[in-house]
Amino acid sequence: MGTSTGDDAAVYRLSEDLALVLTVDFFPPIVDDPWHFGVIAAANAFSDVYAMGGKPLLALNLVCFPKELPMNILGEILKGAASKAQEAGVLIVGGHTIDDVEPKYGMAVTGLVQPGKQVTNASARVGDRLVLTKPLGTGIITTAGKNGVADAATLARAIEVMSALNRASSEAMVEVGVNACTDVTGFGLLGHLQGMVEASGGTARVHCSQVPLIEGTWKLAQEGV
């Protein structure tokens, strides 16, 4: 599985019962605390493997960091990521660092999946129900945080949501059996859903009242965030 359907990760079969899942993801800080930034970035990178029904195994750090900034900030980012990798059972086996004007961090992740058990975004079928494993609103809340208009409790809840691994959801998905899956991140629910229905050759209906949101999201949106 490659780039044709815009899936969350690539899948390469090694044998009849073993395939690799490969992905990469990194971004600039979305929270002020460097440790939490590392945690969130790692959870985000692993999630692409989980979305394919795979188990992340190895990771490489990807670091862009201004040499003018104190190195202890980078140290905290890497410590946060390492703690989340330990929770996920992932080994960080190396990485690469470059000097850049803006900090950026993420991971290249390699995982495993049994061939035929991988879950693609291109197999949704008529009658399928859409299931979200996390509430939405992190983009609005973190933007509010950058602008100093998010209260501490709302921001803390968003960080908690972004830091949570999708491991249990992925394991349940594989056990139950689903037709399709995708990881909702930078393009939001509607953006990623559009990719799913286009790849699947269908349409979807979303009932706004049934979409779970982090408390405080609507208020910030109504205030123009």
Side-chain angles (χ1 to χ4, degrees):
M1 295 177 57
T3 60
S4 60
T5 60
D7 255 303
D8 295 290
V11 178
Y12 184 84
R13 187 171 68 182
L14 296 175
S15 65
E16 290 301 314
D17 58 359
L18 187 64
L20 295 177
V21 185
L22 305 159
T23 187
V24 60
D25 208 330
F26 64 103
F27 46 73
I30 55 175
V31 293
D32 291 334
D33 183 82
W35 190 87
H36 279 126
F37 172 43
V39 168
I40 292 166
N44 175 70
F46 301 152
S47 194
D48 285 339
V49 176
Y50 290 135
M52 305 297 294
K55 177 183 178 181
L57 184 68
L58 303 172
L60 297 169
N61 286 323
L62 294 173
V63 178
C64 304
F65 196 78
K67 59 185 178 182
E68 295 81 10
L69 287 181
M71 290 302 294
N72 67 301
I73 294 177
L74 176 56
E76 286 300 304
I77 294 172
L78 297 179
K79 287 178 183 177
S83 70
K84 188 54 60 172
Q86 184 177 27
E87 179 186 343
V90 174
L91 293 177
I92 300 176
V93 293
H96 191 69
T97 308
I98 65 168
D99 177 33
D100 200 355
V101 295
E102 181 183 27
K104 303 173 188 70
Y105 174 73
M107 290 176 163
V109 184
T110 300
L112 299 175
V113 71
Q114 183 178 343
K117 292 295 183 75
Q118 74 272 11
V119 183
T120 173
N121 71 348
S123 301
R125 297 291 178 262
V126 174
D128 284 350
R129 291 176 180 245
L130 296 171
V131 178
L132 278 169
T133 63
K134 292 183 177 184
L136 303 182
T138 56
I140 289 174
I141 293 170
T142 54
T143 299
K146 289 180 179 179
N147 291 308
V149 294
D151 65 80
T154 300
L155 189 56
R157 175 59 179 147
I159 291 173
E160 180 185 14
V161 168
M162 291 185 290
S163 300
L165 292 175
N166 277 319
R167 176 174 56 191
S169 299
S170 178
E171 291 171 352
M173 170 182 75
V174 172
E175 181 179 351
V176 171
V178 302
N179 286 331
C181 179
T182 192
D183 186 35
V184 178
T185 49
F187 296 105
L189 171 62
L190 294 184
H192 287 280
L193 180 58
Q194 180 182 358
M196 175 181 282
V197 297
E198 288 181 351
S200 301
T203 60
R205 177 177 291 123
V206 177
H207 299 274
C208 184
S209 62
Q210 296 181 30
V211 176
L213 295 177
I214 298 171
E215 187 176 354
T217 302
W218 270 125
K219 181 177 181 293
L220 290 169
Q222 290 168 345
E223 292 172 354
V225 180

